[in-house]
Amino acid sequence: MMKVNKDAYHPELRKGHGPLLSINFLLSRSWGVKVFRFFDKLSKGQKLKGYHNETRYIPSQHGGPDIRVRIIKPHGITENLPIFCYLHGGGYIVGSPETSFFLLKRMMETRPCIIVAPDYRKAFDAPYPGGFDDCYDTLLWARDHAEEIQGRADAIMVGGHSAGGGMTAAVTLKARDTQDLKIAFQMPIYPMIDDSQSNPSAQNVGTPLWDAKTNAMGWGAYLKGLHEQGIEIPAYAAPIRNTDYRNFPPTLTFVGSMDPFRDETLAYVDALKKAQIPLAFELFEGGYHGFEVVKAKSSIGQAAWKFFLDNYARFYDAYCVGKVQPA
């Protein structure tokens, strides 16, 4: 492991990075994870102002408990809209759909859609495949109930950040393999996809919000059942293990150069390029994990938001509405 000096960060990200390390401290300890889970529970049921908010409990197709799903959509819909299945982040161990409402609001302001966001099971409650099954079941439910929620089954997007990006890559892979549905495009943003934690960026410690220590906690919990049974880790659990990227949907992603997921994101992007999958990707120099969230007003944060939202709009127009073809 290598300790990262703050001088490696983008100049606007250096100030105030110290307090963010407390998040790393908490998420690398089981009692700290419980603290985050407590606040996740408090967030449940919160509403996104200005939009129609709904909570559904949909049946698991894999013997699990019903899945709590948040459905958010604009008021006064006059025609069915594309569906965005959003899978929240949190290292597979924490998080809820409500913690990402600020992001979903900006996306719906950019292009209207029906948000379908599952509160999938976390690893300390149900290691893989619990959360993965919940996410895939939600994707299929959205396909089958599109008309009911004023959505379009022929225009389903899927995306998420961090562990949600890992879930995105995993359900996209399964959808490609099974042909259960055609995903319009995917957005696995700085995805958590490599359980080996062996590449150089994954060895960094002291990077705000997520580093090698928290990564070990997340993957250890998520893959615990497989490790205990001596089962080989499948690509649906750690998508970087996939070797065939043919027929993947168009993909939008970005990552910071100081993010522990930098190298696995670059490897994923390179594999998509080799398979000639339409792609929008940017590497933001000096950005640590989630920099555009905690430092949204910085120039690098604003650049990341612009890249993401501009390309979301471009892909939406090309692959959901069919207005234009992306360059």
Side-chain angles (χ1 to χ4, degrees):
M1 294 185 182
M2 183 181 75
K3 177 73 174 178
V4 176
N5 188 294
K6 71 175 183 179
D7 291 339
Y9 308 142
H10 183 279
E12 293 180 62
L13 301 182
R14 295 169 191 168
K15 185 177 180 180
H17 90 287
L20 296 174
L21 297 178
S22 62
I23 295 175
N24 303 51
F25 177 82
L26 290 170
L27 289 177
S28 62
R29 290 158 173 81
S30 58
W31 63 266
V33 171
K34 291 180 181 179
V35 172
F36 271 84
R37 294 293 301 278
F38 171 76
F39 285 105
D40 288 340
K41 289 181 179 179
L42 292 181
S43 75
K44 291 182 178 180
Q46 291 179 358
K47 294 184 177 181
L48 182 57
K49 293 181 180 179
Y51 293 87
H52 172 85
N53 291 255
E54 189 175 345
T55 301
R56 299 271 189 110
Y57 287 86
I58 69 173
S60 166
Q61 303 302 313
H62 296 85
D66 288 351
I67 307 159
R68 188 179 75 94
V69 176
R70 294 304 305 271
I71 299 172
I72 313 293
K73 55 188 177 182
H75 291 296
I77 296 174
T78 58
E79 60 181 2
N80 288 4
L81 296 174
I83 295 171
F84 177 36
C85 187
Y86 184 75
L87 312 176
H88 69 77
Y92 300 120
I93 52 178
V94 299
S96 72
E98 288 84 353
T99 58
S100 298
F101 274 1
F102 70 96
L103 164 77
L104 301 179
K105 184 176 188 293
R106 294 192 70 169
M107 294 187 69
M108 287 191 288
E109 289 172 345
T110 302
R111 290 292 186 274
C113 59
I114 309 295
I115 302 291
V116 178
D119 186 11
Y120 58 84
R121 283 172 288 172
K122 310 308 179 293
F124 282 109
D125 298 327
Y128 176 86
F132 168 74
D133 286 343
D134 290 350
C135 291
Y136 198 73
D137 285 349
T138 301
L139 191 62
L140 297 186
W141 182 90
R143 177 201 64 185
D144 295 340
H145 295 79
E147 188 72 26
E148 177 186 339
I149 60 174
Q150 297 177 285
R152 287 176 48 196
D154 65 337
I156 297 178
M157 311 166 279
V158 60
H161 292 65
S162 192
M167 287 292 194
T168 295
V171 299
T172 294
L173 175 61
K174 184 171 181 178
R176 190 282 307 267
D177 291 346
T178 62
Q179 298 185 39
D180 286 332
L181 77 161
K182 181 180 179 181
I183 293 173
F185 64 94
Q186 65 157 344
M187 295 176 282
I189 307 301
Y190 38 83
M192 183 177 175
I193 54 178
D194 186 357
D195 65 299
S196 74
Q197 307 164 68
S198 60
N199 58 62
S201 67
Q203 296 297 307
N204 289 340
V205 294
T207 52
L209 303 180
W210 200 258
D211 65 3
K213 293 180 179 179
T214 50
N215 210 21
M217 172 67 83
W219 278 116
Y222 189 52
L223 302 180
K224 180 179 179 181
L226 299 178
H227 287 316
E228 289 179 345
Q229 298 175 62
I231 298 174
E232 183 177 355
I233 307 302
Y236 294 157
I240 201 66
R241 292 171 176 260
N242 173 46
T243 58
D244 180 5
Y245 288 81
R246 291 174 296 178
N247 301 316
F248 263 56
T251 300
L252 162 59
T253 185
F254 69 86
V255 70
S257 67
M258 300 308 300
D259 193 313
F261 301 146
R262 177 197 66 204
D263 292 340
E264 56 208 76
T265 301
L266 291 174
Y268 188 73
V269 165
D270 185 58
L272 291 168
K273 285 181 178 178
K274 289 178 179 177
Q276 298 184 322
I277 303 302
L279 180 71
F281 169 70
E282 188 75 30
L283 176 67
F284 288 93
E285 286 297 329
Y288 47 67
H289 193 69
F291 68 91
E292 84 288 0
V293 175
V294 295
K295 297 287 185 177
K297 294 183 179 180
S298 65
S299 62
I300 186 176
Q302 290 178 22
W305 275 106
K306 178 173 173 51
F307 169 81
F308 174 64
L309 293 174
D310 283 356
N311 281 285
Y312 161 65
R314 187 165 65 91
F315 275 36
Y316 178 107
D317 291 345
Y319 302 115
C320 292
V321 181
K323 290 182 179 178
V324 297
Q325 289 298 318

mmCIF file of all heavy atoms in Angstrom, residues 182-200:
data_model
loop_
_atom_site.group_PDB
_atom_site.id
_atom_site.type_symbol
_atom_site.label_atom_id
_atom_site.label_comp_id
_atom_site.label_asym_id
_atom_site.label_seq_id
_atom_site.Cartn_x
_atom_site.Cartn_y
_atom_site.Cartn_z
ATOM 1 N N LYS A 182 -32.904 -5.344 -23.793
ATOM 2 C CA LYS A 182 -31.860 -4.549 -24.421
ATOM 3 C C LYS A 182 -31.733 -3.245 -23.657
ATOM 4 O O LYS A 182 -32.687 -2.479 -23.561
ATOM 5 C CB LYS A 182 -32.190 -4.264 -25.887
ATOM 6 C CG LYS A 182 -31.114 -3.451 -26.588
ATOM 7 C CD LYS A 182 -31.467 -3.191 -28.044
ATOM 8 C CE LYS A 182 -30.376 -2.354 -28.721
ATOM 9 N NZ LYS A 182 -30.714 -2.061 -30.137
ATOM 10 N N ILE A 183 -30.572 -3.002 -23.089
ATOM 11 C CA ILE A 183 -30.311 -1.766 -22.367
ATOM 12 C C ILE A 183 -29.907 -0.694 -23.371
ATOM 13 O O ILE A 183 -29.014 -0.905 -24.201
ATOM 14 C CB ILE A 183 -29.213 -1.974 -21.313
ATOM 15 C CG1 ILE A 183 -29.734 -2.916 -20.211
ATOM 16 C CG2 ILE A 183 -28.756 -0.657 -20.711
ATOM 17 C CD1 ILE A 183 -28.693 -3.333 -19.207
ATOM 18 N N ALA A 184 -30.576 0.468 -23.310
ATOM 19 C CA ALA A 184 -30.304 1.548 -24.263
ATOM 20 C C ALA A 184 -28.865 2.026 -24.141
ATOM 21 O O ALA A 184 -28.158 2.169 -25.146
ATOM 22 C CB ALA A 184 -31.272 2.701 -24.040
ATOM 23 N N PHE A 185 -28.437 2.325 -22.920
ATOM 24 C CA PHE A 185 -27.029 2.606 -22.637
ATOM 25 C C PHE A 185 -26.797 2.496 -21.143
ATOM 26 O O PHE A 185 -27.739 2.530 -20.351
ATOM 27 C CB PHE A 185 -26.583 3.973 -23.178
ATOM 28 C CG PHE A 185 -27.260 5.180 -22.576
ATOM 29 C CD1 PHE A 185 -26.703 5.861 -21.506
ATOM 30 C CD2 PHE A 185 -28.434 5.673 -23.127
ATOM 31 C CE1 PHE A 185 -27.307 6.993 -20.975
ATOM 32 C CE2 PHE A 185 -29.044 6.815 -22.612
ATOM 33 C CZ PHE A 185 -28.477 7.472 -21.534
ATOM 34 N N GLN A 186 -25.532 2.315 -20.767
ATOM 35 C CA GLN A 186 -25.185 2.155 -19.362
ATOM 36 C C GLN A 186 -24.235 3.267 -18.921
ATOM 37 O O GLN A 186 -23.468 3.810 -19.721
ATOM 38 C CB GLN A 186 -24.561 0.791 -19.086
ATOM 39 C CG GLN A 186 -23.205 0.583 -19.769
ATOM 40 C CD GLN A 186 -22.346 -0.479 -19.095
ATOM 41 O OE1 GLN A 186 -22.599 -0.886 -17.961
ATOM 42 N NE2 GLN A 186 -21.321 -0.941 -19.814
ATOM 43 N N MET A 187 -24.313 3.586 -17.608
ATOM 44 C CA MET A 187 -23.470 4.624 -17.023
ATOM 45 C C MET A 187 -22.827 4.111 -15.733
ATOM 46 O O MET A 187 -23.265 4.453 -14.626
ATOM 47 C CB MET A 187 -24.300 5.878 -16.750
ATOM 48 C CG MET A 187 -24.845 6.542 -18.001
ATOM 49 S SD MET A 187 -25.930 7.964 -17.676
ATOM 50 C CE MET A 187 -27.457 7.095 -17.231
ATOM 51 N N PRO A 188 -21.810 3.252 -15.837
ATOM 52 C CA PRO A 188 -21.091 2.795 -14.640
ATOM 53 C C PRO A 188 -19.994 3.807 -14.282
ATOM 54 O O PRO A 188 -18.880 3.735 -14.785
ATOM 55 C CB PRO A 188 -20.494 1.456 -15.093
ATOM 56 C CG PRO A 188 -20.274 1.640 -16.582
ATOM 57 C CD PRO A 188 -21.315 2.620 -17.059
ATOM 58 N N ILE A 189 -20.322 4.760 -13.411
ATOM 59 C CA ILE A 189 -19.412 5.856 -13.096
ATOM 60 C C ILE A 189 -18.407 5.414 -12.024
ATOM 61 O O ILE A 189 -18.786 4.902 -10.979
ATOM 62 C CB ILE A 189 -20.193 7.099 -12.617
ATOM 63 C CG1 ILE A 189 -21.283 7.463 -13.626
ATOM 64 C CG2 ILE A 189 -19.242 8.265 -12.384
ATOM 65 C CD1 ILE A 189 -20.789 7.762 -15.026
ATOM 66 N N TYR A 190 -17.129 5.634 -12.299
ATOM 67 C CA TYR A 190 -15.999 5.111 -11.499
ATOM 68 C C TYR A 190 -16.409 3.807 -10.784
ATOM 69 O O TYR A 190 -16.475 3.728 -9.559
ATOM 70 C CB TYR A 190 -15.418 6.140 -10.530
ATOM 71 C CG TYR A 190 -16.345 7.103 -9.823
ATOM 72 C CD1 TYR A 190 -17.031 6.732 -8.663
ATOM 73 C CD2 TYR A 190 -16.489 8.404 -10.284
ATOM 74 C CE1 TYR A 190 -17.851 7.629 -8.001
ATOM 75 C CE2 TYR A 190 -17.310 9.312 -9.629
ATOM 76 C CZ TYR A 190 -17.985 8.917 -8.487
ATOM 77 O OH TYR A 190 -18.806 9.811 -7.826
ATOM 78 N N PRO A 191 -16.636 2.747 -11.568
ATOM 79 C CA PRO A 191 -17.218 1.519 -11.015
ATOM 80 C C PRO A 191 -16.261 0.691 -10.156
ATOM 81 O O PRO A 191 -15.062 0.625 -10.403
ATOM 82 C CB PRO A 191 -17.605 0.748 -12.277
ATOM 83 C CG PRO A 191 -16.597 1.178 -13.295
ATOM 84 C CD PRO A 191 -16.376 2.637 -13.014
ATOM 85 N N MET A 192 -16.831 0.054 -9.157
ATOM 86 C CA MET A 192 -16.117 -0.870 -8.257
ATOM 87 C C MET A 192 -16.279 -2.271 -8.833
ATOM 88 O O MET A 192 -17.270 -2.955 -8.569
ATOM 89 C CB MET A 192 -16.724 -0.760 -6.852
ATOM 90 C CG MET A 192 -16.071 -1.597 -5.784
ATOM 91 S SD MET A 192 -16.866 -1.254 -4.176
ATOM 92 C CE MET A 192 -16.032 -2.468 -3.133
ATOM 93 N N ILE A 193 -15.296 -2.720 -9.616
ATOM 94 C CA ILE A 193 -15.478 -3.942 -10.405
ATOM 95 C C ILE A 193 -14.363 -4.968 -10.271
ATOM 96 O O ILE A 193 -14.486 -6.081 -10.788
ATOM 97 C CB ILE A 193 -15.663 -3.602 -11.900
ATOM 98 C CG1 ILE A 193 -14.522 -2.732 -12.404
ATOM 99 C CG2 ILE A 193 -17.012 -2.914 -12.127
ATOM 100 C CD1 ILE A 193 -14.603 -2.384 -13.889
ATOM 101 N N ASP A 194 -13.277 -4.630 -9.567
ATOM 102 C CA ASP A 194 -12.117 -5.533 -9.497
ATOM 103 C C ASP A 194 -11.857 -5.948 -8.058
ATOM 104 O O ASP A 194 -11.307 -5.188 -7.264
ATOM 105 C CB ASP A 194 -10.891 -4.845 -10.093
ATOM 106 C CG ASP A 194 -9.694 -5.775 -10.196
ATOM 107 O OD1 ASP A 194 -9.794 -6.935 -9.752
ATOM 108 O OD2 ASP A 194 -8.651 -5.331 -10.715
ATOM 109 N N ASP A 195 -12.230 -7.179 -7.731
ATOM 110 C CA ASP A 195 -12.068 -7.677 -6.366
ATOM 111 C C ASP A 195 -10.626 -7.999 -6.008
ATOM 112 O O ASP A 195 -10.294 -8.141 -4.833
ATOM 113 C CB ASP A 195 -12.923 -8.935 -6.161
ATOM 114 C CG ASP A 195 -12.443 -10.085 -7.028
ATOM 115 O OD1 ASP A 195 -12.461 -9.935 -8.272
ATOM 116 O OD2 ASP A 195 -12.044 -11.137 -6.497
ATOM 117 N N SER A 196 -9.743 -8.126 -7.011
ATOM 118 C CA SER A 196 -8.357 -8.494 -6.720
ATOM 119 C C SER A 196 -7.625 -7.400 -5.954
ATOM 120 O O SER A 196 -6.685 -7.680 -5.204
ATOM 121 C CB SER A 196 -7.602 -8.782 -8.022
ATOM 122 O OG SER A 196 -7.308 -7.588 -8.726
ATOM 123 N N GLN A 197 -8.048 -6.146 -6.142
ATOM 124 C CA GLN A 197 -7.438 -4.996 -5.455
ATOM 125 C C GLN A 197 -5.916 -4.987 -5.621
ATOM 126 O O GLN A 197 -5.180 -4.565 -4.735
ATOM 127 C CB GLN A 197 -7.797 -5.013 -3.965
ATOM 128 C CG GLN A 197 -9.294 -5.109 -3.700
ATOM 129 C CD GLN A 197 -9.616 -5.502 -2.275
ATOM 130 O OE1 GLN A 197 -9.368 -4.729 -1.351
ATOM 131 N NE2 GLN A 197 -10.152 -6.686 -2.091
ATOM 132 N N SER A 198 -5.458 -5.462 -6.778
ATOM 133 C CA SER A 198 -4.024 -5.657 -6.990
ATOM 134 C C SER A 198 -3.372 -4.585 -7.854
ATOM 135 O O SER A 198 -2.145 -4.501 -7.910
ATOM 136 C CB SER A 198 -3.789 -7.029 -7.640
ATOM 137 O OG SER A 198 -4.457 -7.111 -8.895
ATOM 138 N N ASN A 199 -4.169 -3.772 -8.534
ATOM 139 C CA ASN A 199 -3.571 -2.774 -9.411
ATOM 140 C C ASN A 199 -3.042 -1.586 -8.589
ATOM 141 O O ASN A 199 -3.404 -1.421 -7.419
ATOM 142 C CB ASN A 199 -4.585 -2.319 -10.471
ATOM 143 C CG ASN A 199 -5.844 -1.745 -9.859
ATOM 144 O OD1 ASN A 199 -5.791 -0.743 -9.167
ATOM 145 N ND2 ASN A 199 -6.989 -2.383 -10.115
ATOM 146 N N PRO A 200 -2.164 -0.765 -9.163
ATOM 147 C CA PRO A 200 -1.539 0.319 -8.391
ATOM 148 C C PRO A 200 -2.513 1.280 -7.721
ATOM 149 O O PRO A 200 -2.323 1.634 -6.551
ATOM 150 C CB PRO A 200 -0.684 1.040 -9.447
ATOM 151 C CG PRO A 200 -0.336 -0.031 -10.429
ATOM 152 C CD PRO A 200 -1.565 -0.903 -10.512
#
